Amino acid sequence: QQQQQQQQQQQHLQQQHQQKEKPAEIYQSIPIPAERVGWIIGKQGAYIQNLETRSGCSISVSDNPSKEFGREWNYVQLQGSTRNVDKAKKLIYMRLESFRAN
């Protein structure tokens, strides 16, 4: 009976290990100035692909800018785990900061 209980515990632990879920995905949008869209996407999408690879996040950019606060804005949609979305936002903000420095 003790051996049977140990087997059941092992099976239970294996099931828990197999059921480890991947982190929940979240969706976030961040506004970027419309005139910076090409700079975020990069030549033939090279920079946005790099962003996706480095962050582990799915990234797309809205086609239709909206006008608010006297400027046009496009929205970058981020999809992934909380951690990956956070990485992507940081990389985008760093890219925008380096644009201002030039």
Side-chain angles (χ1 to χ4, degrees):
Q1 189 179 15
Q2 193 175 18
Q3 192 177 13
Q4 191 177 16
Q5 283 179 332
Q6 284 177 337
Q7 283 178 338
Q8 286 175 341
Q9 283 178 333
Q10 275 185 326
Q11 285 176 343
H12 182 70
L13 288 173
Q14 285 175 342
Q15 286 174 347
Q16 280 183 328
H17 184 69
Q18 289 170 355
Q19 290 176 357
K20 278 200 175 176
E21 299 168 22
K22 61 180 187 175
E25 288 208 336
I26 63 167
Y27 299 86
Q28 271 192 13
S29 292
I30 59 170
I32 59 166
E35 67 270 14
R36 304 287 191 260
V37 169
W39 212 62
I40 292 294
I41 293 171
K43 200 174 237 175
Q44 296 178 344
Y47 191 75
I48 206 162
Q49 288 171 3
N50 181 354
L51 274 176
E52 287 183 327
T53 302
R54 289 175 67 191
S55 67
C57 196
S58 177
I59 302 170
S60 62
V61 180
S62 66
D63 291 334
N64 304 324
S66 63
K67 192 164 184 140
E68 295 174 277
F69 308 111
R71 286 181 92 165
E72 287 200 347
W73 302 87
N74 281 71
Y75 285 84
V76 176
Q77 285 88 27
L78 308 169
Q79 176 186 349
S81 68
T82 304
R83 184 182 198 135
N84 292 352
V85 166
D86 189 52
K87 281 184 195 175
K89 288 195 302 190
K90 287 174 183 167
L91 289 166
I92 290 168
Y93 291 141
M94 286 168 46
R95 177 96 167 152
L96 290 171
E97 279 178 12
S98 68
F99 187 88
R100 285 188 206 110
N102 291 338

